[in-house]
Amino acid sequence: RRRGEGLQEKKFCGFPISIFFIVVNEFCERFSYYGMRAVLVLYFKYFLQWDDDLSTTIYHTFVALCYLTPILGAIVADSWLGKFKTIVYLSIVYTLGQVVLAVSAIHDISDANRDGTPDNMTLHVALSMLGLLLIALGTGGIKPCVAAFGGDQFQDHQEKQRSTFFSIFYLSINAGSLLSTVITPILRAQECGIYTQQQCYSLAFGVPAALMVVSLIVFIIGSGMYIKTPPQGNIMVKVFRCIAFAIKNRFRHRASEFPKRTHWMDWSEEKYDKLLIAQVKMVLRVLFLYIPLPMFWALFDQQGSRWTLQATIMNGDFGILKIQPDQMQTVNPILILALVPIMDSLLYPLIAKCKINFTPLKRMTVGMLFAALAFIAAALVQIQIDQTMPKFPSSSEGQVKFININNRSLEVKAGTSEFTLGVFQRSWLERNSWGELWGHCRQQHVRLRHVPAGGVRLLSSHLGHKQSYHREVFGSDFCCSGSISTQFRVESAAGECVYSQDLGFGSSFTLIIPPTFAFVDNCGQSIQTVVDIKPNTIHMAWQIPQYFLMTLGEVVFSVTGLEFAYSQAPSNMKSVLQAGWLLTVAVGNIIVLIIAEAATLDDQWAEYILFASLLVVVCFIFAFMAHFYTYIDPAKIEAQFAERDPEEKEKEKRKSVEMTRKGSAEQRKEDRRSSDSSSDKEKTRQTRI
């Protein structure tokens, strides 16, 4: 009996008690993963001070690793450790990664001078990369194990309960994803710090780390109640070996004297039975259709990178509700919960009644088109944003600013909100020669002294991305999206004056201190405000259409794709196709980081159009491939091999042995010819000597 079967008498509502530990474990783990991932790209941009392209590249590299490691996890679980130990060991690695990432986001650990800016950014980057590497190994490694381990807890007569468990299991995944993408951006927006109060990325990463600790503890508590199936060998390894042998055997018998075979996989008949070969053929037919699919995921996963960065330059005010840029990602799981039942219960049956042959492959084609339309919608939104944005120099241009305001001037930048304070009276400066200006931008605290005297003063000069200019002026970047209130405090021996200004993202103001300025009550009222650039008023709600189109594409493409793959795969090789599906997600993210680094497009909307165009091209290629695909019933094909006569099996076995001997004989002859040739060459060489 399998370990733990004696405890299966403990049930609740007909379900083994052990599955509740697994469901809670999955909820906490998904909360941890999606919560961390929701704020990751903003952490790269505003804490590590990376530009948009580098932030996008590292983000998608991390996601690609998360979808490459499941293959490793499945092989380790099925061939070595078993599912339970694999989940426990890799969850420990996962938890350590979350803790390391949370520690890397504490700005005070390297802020020796206590100015709010980390002094050793290399330390924070190194800790971040180590944490993400451990997380990718952990979350990817346990991904193929948890659901299968939950299925192992049921007996053969509990098919109904097993089906209900998988529904609850996937509901816990969506619940964890939805809650985390709402909560962690709120945590990020809080102020925290020992010496200076800044956006609390450490809290936003720390809570997911705590949830991962809870996930691990809950899973271990249920250890005594689990049915633990010992490792029985991984089918993927067997499939790879069969394919490798067929290729190797075909190469050995490449001479024209050997008869050709119907399919190249038939060259593995000498070692593997025909049932396995037929199953591999069915899998390869589906995997061939997977080739164009990564392009869909290249667009889909940019919701957490490019689209989140797009939201940072939009207005997030929803009345009394303030939406953070990374919270827009919650639109996707909400729409999934709404669209899946609508599609399954209403739209698909309606199409069937209209006698339209809407096959799974046609649905997937339509899903790709919806994703392309989503990026066209994103491009249209970006064009509207660009029209309200100040014009910054490109990466190949420099910028020099001059201002002449009677010898004294000061320029401050917060995000892309620019504030120029000019002092027009030399006498006021002489009376307040030690005056300083302090600025607060949300969680940031900055101090700048007056620049030295000079009739025409060079305020700033920089070459490269605008973020470099921000670091030159402040030493740190800002995250100021939407409408915020900024305070400036002018201090001197005579007193202090606090001036407040409501700012909109992308706006530019000139604040003029008049000659009558004095440190008295309501002194800020004497400061004059001139609006140079109006705030960016494009609302985040304009992103909803692109999220709707992308989610609709996901429902039609992803759900149908998995359903199609399972219907066309042999019963014992569904895990192989699951691994292939995850691999397409990884390759899609690799495509994004390649394009993000290689593309030289200055306009973001042009990059959106590029991705949409590539997906449309791939969509037509996929439609052409799908046109020639013939749907099969794997169960019938497997039944044909199961009903074969025993004498026929014995005849095939003898034939295989004979072919193996013949091939070995031919190989020995070839080796002798090679040896004789080498001997002749050696004799010739000795004769010449």
Side-chain angles (χ1 to χ4, degrees):
R1 298 197 315 178
R2 294 181 298 176
R3 185 178 177 184
E5 284 189 19
L7 298 172
Q8 287 301 301
E9 296 178 358
K10 296 182 178 181
K11 297 181 179 180
F12 180 77
C13 297
F15 293 90
I17 294 180
S18 58
I19 65 116
F20 294 99
F21 293 94
I22 296 173
V23 170
V24 173
N25 164 269
E26 184 65 12
F27 170 81
C28 294
E29 188 275 328
R30 289 291 87 186
F31 185 104
S32 177
Y33 174 74
Y34 284 108
M36 172 274 304
R37 183 172 152 177
V39 301
L40 188 59
V41 73
L42 297 185
Y43 170 72
F44 290 156
K45 180 174 181 178
Y46 294 115
F47 188 93
L48 298 184
Q49 300 179 354
W50 292 346
D51 61 28
D52 289 1
D53 289 339
L54 182 57
S55 300
T56 300
T57 298
I58 301 301
Y59 174 87
H60 287 284
T61 301
F62 166 71
V63 176
L65 286 175
C66 290
Y67 284 96
L68 284 173
T69 49
I71 298 176
L72 177 63
I75 294 175
V76 169
D78 292 341
S79 304
W80 182 27
L81 294 177
K83 298 183 184 70
F84 175 78
K85 289 184 179 179
T86 301
I87 294 171
V88 172
Y89 294 160
L90 290 181
S91 292
I92 294 174
V93 174
Y94 192 171
T95 304
L96 289 175
Q98 290 281 31
V99 172
V100 171
L101 182 62
V103 171
S104 73
I106 303 176
H107 64 275
D108 291 311
I109 62 175
S110 65
D111 186 12
N113 56 7
R114 303 184 181 184
D115 63 349
T117 303
D119 299 323
N120 187 0
M121 191 59 72
T122 303
L123 172 64
H124 293 273
V125 173
L127 289 175
S128 300
M129 296 304 101
L130 175 61
L132 291 177
L133 183 62
L134 295 175
I135 292 171
L137 180 61
T139 186
I142 68 175
K143 192 185 294 290
C145 301
V146 179
F149 185 71
D152 290 343
Q153 308 308 305
F154 296 88
Q155 307 296 331
D156 294 337
H157 65 277
Q158 295 179 301
E159 287 295 330
K160 183 178 179 180
Q161 288 89 340
R162 182 185 286 114
S163 177
T164 304
F165 160 73
F166 282 116
S167 298
I168 298 173
F169 183 82
Y170 287 109
L171 179 63
S172 69
I173 292 176
N174 285 285
S177 169
L178 178 60
L179 289 176
S180 64
T181 50
V182 172
I183 294 173
T184 51
I186 296 176
L187 298 177
R188 174 191 61 77
Q190 304 306 307
E191 297 183 13
C192 66
I194 300 174
Y195 308 125
T196 57
Q197 299 291 304
Q198 298 190 22
Q199 288 197 349
C200 205
Y201 288 99
S202 56
L203 180 62
F205 292 142
V207 170
L211 263 292
M212 196 57 222
V213 173
V214 173
S215 173
L216 177 60
I217 293 174
V218 169
F219 186 75
I220 294 176
I221 288 175
S223 174
M225 304 180 188
Y226 298 138
I227 293 177
K228 301 171 185 176
T229 305
Q232 299 176 346
N234 188 274
I235 189 64
M236 284 189 292
V237 176
K238 196 172 184 179
V239 170
F240 292 150
R241 288 176 177 174
C242 183
I243 294 174
F245 180 80
I247 296 173
K248 182 180 179 181
N249 199 32
R250 177 67 183 90
F251 181 77
R252 284 179 177 177
H253 299 85
R254 61 188 181 276
S256 59
E257 60 190 72
F258 297 102
K260 294 183 178 181
R261 301 187 184 183
T262 306
H263 193 279
W264 64 271
M265 276 301 303
D266 294 333
W267 287 98
S268 60
E269 290 179 350
E270 285 80 359
K271 187 175 181 180
Y272 298 93
D273 62 77
K274 285 193 173 183
L275 175 58
L276 176 63
I277 296 171
Q279 291 171 332
V280 173
K281 288 179 183 178
M282 288 185 277
V283 168
L284 291 176
R285 293 175 73 246
V286 178
L287 291 179
F288 177 71
L289 289 175
Y290 279 5
I291 294 175
L293 303 190
M295 199 65 221
F296 173 86
W297 300 113
L299 277 69
F300 177 81
D301 278 334
Q302 290 190 59
Q303 294 177 91
S305 57
R306 291 296 194 194
W307 286 13
T308 299
L309 293 174
Q310 184 186 62
T312 62
I313 52 177
M314 301 177 75
N315 183 5
D317 288 327
F318 285 79
I320 60 173
L321 183 64
K322 174 68 176 178
I323 299 297
Q324 300 297 325
D326 32 7
Q327 283 182 316
M328 286 301 296
Q329 299 175 55
T330 60
V331 175
N332 176 258
I334 292 173
L335 288 176
I336 285 178
L337 296 176
L339 288 176
V340 168
I342 292 175
M343 300 295 290
D344 289 340
S345 304
L346 182 62
L347 188 58
Y348 290 153
L350 182 62
I351 293 175
K353 285 185 178 181
C354 296
K355 297 182 179 180
I356 299 175
N357 187 23
F358 199 36
T359 62
L361 293 179
K362 290 181 180 178
R363 295 182 193 177
M364 295 174 68
T365 305
V366 172
M368 290 184 181
L369 291 176
F370 277 126
L373 290 175
F375 261 62
I376 293 175
L380 295 176
V381 172
Q382 188 65 45
I383 291 173
Q384 296 300 316
I385 293 173
D386 291 344
Q387 292 178 353
T388 63
M389 289 286 290
K391 302 299 181 182
F392 292 103
S394 67
S395 58
S396 60
E397 297 174 334
Q399 184 185 55
V400 178
K401 291 186 178 181
F402 294 90
I403 188 167
N404 184 1
I405 47 177
N406 197 16
N407 302 335
R408 288 292 188 271
S409 62
L410 179 65
E411 181 180 73
V412 181
K413 274 183 176 286
T416 54
S417 298
E418 176 180 317
F419 314 93
T420 302
L421 276 74
V423 181
F424 280 76
Q425 293 295 320
R426 181 188 299 273
S427 58
W428 186 89
L429 283 174
E430 291 173 349
R431 292 197 308 270
N432 301 278
S433 57
W434 295 102
E436 295 181 354
L437 181 79
W438 296 70
H440 296 268
C441 177
R442 193 167 293 184
Q443 286 77 35
Q444 301 288 346
H445 181 82
V446 180
R447 181 179 69 180
L448 288 175
R449 296 182 183 275
H450 291 304
V451 297
V456 177
R457 180 65 183 170
L458 173 63
L459 283 186
S460 61
S461 174
H462 77 286
L463 185 64
H465 193 273
K466 57 181 177 291
Q467 296 295 333
S468 300
Y469 178 52
H470 295 169
R471 287 194 295 271
E472 179 185 337
V473 176
F474 287 121
S476 62
D477 290 327
F478 296 87
C479 177
C480 304
S481 62
S483 178
I484 61 173
S485 180
T486 296
Q487 287 187 335
F488 297 97
R489 185 168 73 248
V490 180
E491 292 182 335
S492 74
E496 70 174 26
C497 178
V498 177
Y499 176 78
S500 298
Q501 175 69 48
D502 292 331
L503 312 173
F505 191 89
S507 58
S508 176
F509 298 85
T510 296
L511 307 182
I512 302 174
I513 301 178
T516 56
F517 179 83
F519 290 102
V520 296
D521 293 338
N522 300 323
C523 57
Q525 295 181 358
S526 63
I527 298 177
Q528 302 174 19
T529 303
V530 178
V531 180
D532 301 318
I533 302 176
K534 293 182 179 180
N536 189 347
T537 57
I538 304 299
H539 204 278
M540 285 185 191
W542 284 105
Q543 281 195 322
I544 294 178
Q546 65 200 53
Y547 273 101
F548 174 79
L549 290 170
M550 182 60 76
T551 307
L552 185 60
E554 178 191 5
V555 171
V556 177
F557 175 87
S558 182
V559 176
T560 305
L562 288 172
E563 184 181 312
F564 162 77
Y566 271 62
S567 69
Q568 299 296 290
S571 57
N572 64 335
M573 293 193 181
K574 299 186 186 299
S575 61
V576 179
L577 290 180
Q578 177 68 17
W581 184 265
L582 296 175
L583 186 61
T584 64
V585 181
V587 175
N589 282 272
I590 293 173
I591 291 174
V592 178
L593 65 93
I594 291 174
I595 293 179
E597 288 297 319
T600 57
L601 301 173
D602 291 331
D603 296 318
Q604 184 58 51
W605 65 265
E607 184 178 295
Y608 290 145
I609 295 297
L610 173 62
F611 275 104
S613 302
L614 291 174
L615 184 57
V616 170
V617 173
V618 169
C619 183
F620 281 108
I621 295 174
F622 179 77
F624 179 78
M625 296 168 60
H627 178 73
F628 295 97
Y629 183 85
T630 303
Y631 291 85
I632 61 173
D633 187 349
K636 289 183 178 180
I637 296 176
E638 291 174 327
Q640 292 175 2
F641 288 93
E643 295 172 357
R644 287 186 306 163
D645 187 81
E647 294 183 2
E648 184 181 350
K649 293 182 179 180
E650 184 64 26
K651 188 185 298 184
E652 289 180 359
K653 185 177 181 180
R654 289 196 299 269
K655 181 181 177 182
S656 297
V657 172
E658 183 181 346
M659 288 293 295
T660 303
R661 289 176 179 173
K662 184 178 178 181
S664 299
E666 292 294 334
Q667 183 65 32
R668 286 196 296 271
K669 289 180 181 179
E670 185 176 343
D671 292 341
R672 282 198 298 270
R673 286 196 297 266
S674 176
S675 178
D676 293 342
S677 176
S678 300
S679 179
D680 291 342
K681 290 181 179 178
E682 179 63 21
K683 289 179 180 179
T684 302
R685 190 179 69 84
Q686 292 292 339
T687 301
R688 288 177 179 173
I689 292 174

